[in-house]
Amino acid sequence: MISNEKVLILFGTQTGNSEDVADRIGRYLTRMHIKAQVVDINEYAVTNLVNESLVIFVCSTTGNGEFPDNMKLFWNFLLRKNLPNNSLAHLHFSVFGLGDSSYEKFNVVSKKLSKRLLQLGAKEMIPLTLGDDQHELGYDAVLDPWLLNLKNTMKSFFIVSDPPIPEDVPLPPRYRVEFCDKFSSADESQSTTFDRNKSFPLATLKRNERVTADDHFQAVHHLEFEIDSTIHYDPGDVAVVWPENPPEDVEDFLSLLNVPLDTNFILIPSVVNVPLPKINSYPCTVRQCAISYFDILSVPRRSFFEVFHHFSQDELEKEKLVEFTTAAGQEELYDYCNRPRRTILEVLKDFPHTTPHIPFEYLFDVIPSIRPRSFSIASALKAHPQEFHLLVAVVQYKTRLRKPRQGLCSNWLAKLKPGAMIPFSIKKGSIALPETNVPIIMIGPGTGCAPFKAFTEDRAAAAIGDNYLFFGCRYKAKDFLFSETWLELCKKKMLTIFTAFSRDQDDKIYVQHRIAENGPLVWDLIQNKKGVIYVAGNAKQMPQGVKDSFVKIIKKEGNLTEEESLKYLQTLEHMKRYQIETWA
């Protein structure tokens, strides 16, 4: 038994889902009178792991089996060869993974983490659990039974004499809010000044152009930004930007609140060592929060209702909200929120006898923060000094709700006017050019071609040929992205392009068909000339179709069995000669 101890909950995430699950676990333990500390894994000193007794890891898998950005340093430390096999022998742990089974490497990050912790001598409290975003109930499908298992497991570690805090009693908020135009020195010492515009470099929008036909179903924008001469990036790198909520939705949200909108406030954590949120800028006003911090257009998760229902002043509203928090009510919640993609703002308006009564400080518990978005850079510095370009597909679609659903960041970017300045950062992408001048085979349908514009521009500037692009879209006349760039490079003998316009003929033709048609060339490039293959684009069906085409080519041209062909492709992947960058 362990008394007066805490459970540390570390989350690694790119989208916020892991943070949400970690918070739910933390609240669950708090109701059991067990101290729980929820921490971003990037803000945790990994060397302290040797001092921990109980740790729950909640981590997501990104892209093609990649660790989320905030986990990479932590993971690299765990991989150090000088760590003794018994270095974590004192540690009891559980790993709850979040993944998407439509990806080939489903939940591979949580599997690797669990295996490595066991190698270092740690003991598993609850077997590795894998959540699947493709499940109709999402991660809740496995989280509910997992929490019951956790409850029983904790009884063997903690002596808890007090009865659990009832579900109808709200837990204290994460922060206390103090409004004041001028703060005392004591108040200011508890605040952390943060300004995104000062913490990150600024890019100035030079050009914003729609590059698909006006009558095409999908609006795609090509944006050109000017940047400082000191900023460097490589082909394959990614630009990270922070979107803002649309002005009309901000005003809609602010009209629901009963607090001073333009008076500065500070947040005081209710628990020691809880980090302050990175609001732009902070100390700030409620209006600033509504513009750049609260993700009011995201779909609320179950945890939203677990807090929200406590403040309802109407019997019927409360009954419905409580139902959404129960295991039995998850199908109803899915039908209300997830299926139509109903936003937090719309939910707040749907419950007019509850929303006015939720204290402002609890909004930091129920509304997630706006997450930065990452885009492959569609330019090379050699061709465009002091610039980076983005290729953005504007997300907009219909559900049963009257108002069309819109992607927050893509619509924000599409509406930016020349001269607008935005904070950004550069990070390494999951694909990169080879160090030698070997041939490259690029498969990039749709906006997947963005990093390959950077690849070909960079190599063309250095007079490196042997660049082969398989590009696919619906219509040659409507969404042949960067066509002028590709054709100009072809004229200069810097590029060979194979196009698949799927709707320009009766039979649909995709990039995987063009790959299959060029089997002898592809085999020569990868077998004899040691070429590198890159695949970028939507994760749904394209990557698997492309992989199948390569396996068939390897099997036929290399005269190998199916098993040998798969192993050949796996070897290429291991050697970084088959690189994938996909997104949902």
Side-chain angles (χ1 to χ4, degrees), residues 227-246:
I227 56 176
D228 190 86
S229 59
T230 59
I231 294 168
H232 177 82
Y233 63 85
D234 294 309
D237 283 356
V238 169
V240 181
V241 299
W242 287 263
E244 294 181 350
N245 286 313

Side-chain angles (χ1 to χ4, degrees), residues 152-165:
N152 294 327
T153 302
M154 288 297 101
K155 289 176 181 175
S156 62
F157 288 97
F158 290 94
I159 303 169
V160 180
S161 54
D162 296 323
I165 299 171

